[in-house]
Amino acid sequence: MPHTLDRRRLLATAALGGVVGATGLGSLAPEAAFAAEAAAVEPGAPDPNFVEGRISKISGHLLLVTGSDTVLHSIRVTDGTSIWKLHPSTFDQVAVGDGLYARGVRLPDGTLAADSVWVNIVNLHAHIAAVGRNVLHLDHMGRRIVAHVVPGRSAAVYNGTPAVSDLSLLKVGRHVQVLGAWHPDTNEIDIATVYAAA
């Protein structure tokens, strides 16, 4: 019987961090660049230029987001905003119910003018429980995650070498780090990049 996870539980156990670089399949920077952009904030204080939560409404180019702490946020998306949803994407791919992390600058009215928005991003450390056709079954802290291979998009990095589209070296029982995009309200993700030992 499949077990689903809510976004908060999944993301609470999926530490965001990762690798910034470039591959033959394109830049990885949009996936984790926010980690390098951290502004000086007092320890324990919330970062005023960072928002996380789920989109509850879209009005024009304004996202209304409910944070996991139930705080409501307004995020302004412009033509200059970088959007990532499994790959660099566009605003029309963002939907109500999506989870997001956003970084930008606060406007005088309290709205966050977003420089970057990462939609449904996850960064999981897991063990491979099973391998199927275009799917990995992962054990992430005792929970099963179904990770879908997206032909033409998913890549693997073995032992720090350049990314390749060949995921055949992934074996059951091995530890992996998976960057991907969560399917809201499920225990499923799409794989962007898998980091593993060969």
Side-chain angles (χ1 to χ4, degrees):
M1 176 166 152
H3 177 72
T4 60
L5 297 174
D6 65 19
R7 177 186 171 278
R8 187 172 185 174
R9 181 172 295 166
L10 178 66
L11 295 180
T13 61
L16 289 171
V19 179
V20 176
T23 71
L25 299 174
S27 171
L28 297 177
E31 298 157 340
F34 69 90
E37 297 174 11
V41 176
E42 285 192 36
D47 183 344
N49 298 317
F50 184 81
V51 169
E52 64 78 28
R54 283 189 83 172
I55 300 168
S56 52
K57 183 178 179 182
I58 299 173
S59 178
H61 276 57
L62 187 69
L63 301 174
L64 300 177
V65 175
T66 304
S68 60
D69 57 0
T70 68
V71 172
L72 300 175
H73 302 276
S74 296
I75 301 173
R76 171 81 50 203
V77 176
T78 69
D79 291 340
T81 303
S82 168
I83 299 174
W84 185 94
K85 190 174 183 179
L86 187 63
H87 53 86
S89 195
T90 57
F91 185 72
D92 62 328
Q93 298 300 306
V94 178
V96 170
D98 281 342
L100 65 70
Y101 294 92
R103 180 166 296 289
V105 178
R106 289 285 174 182
L107 299 175
D109 67 357
T111 299
L112 182 77
D115 291 325
S116 299
V117 177
W118 298 271
V119 181
N120 297 329
I121 189 171
V122 294
N123 183 350
L124 305 171
H125 288 270
H127 287 88
I128 300 173
V131 177
R133 182 173 172 84
N134 289 327
V135 68
L136 298 175
H137 295 273
L138 305 174
D139 177 24
H140 172 67
M141 301 183 82
R143 300 202 180 272
R144 185 59 56 97
I145 305 293
V146 179
H148 299 277
V149 175
V150 180
R153 293 249 183 244
S154 298
V157 173
Y158 300 106
N159 301 325
T161 61
V164 295
S165 60
D166 178 11
L167 277 61
S168 67
L169 296 178
L170 299 174
K171 305 294 180 204
V172 172
R174 296 265 176 96
H175 176 266
V176 292
Q177 180 177 357
V178 181
L179 231 53
W182 171 60
H183 296 201
D185 300 317
T186 71
N187 65 331
E188 299 181 37
I189 65 171
D190 287 335
I191 298 170
T193 309
V194 179
Y195 298 88

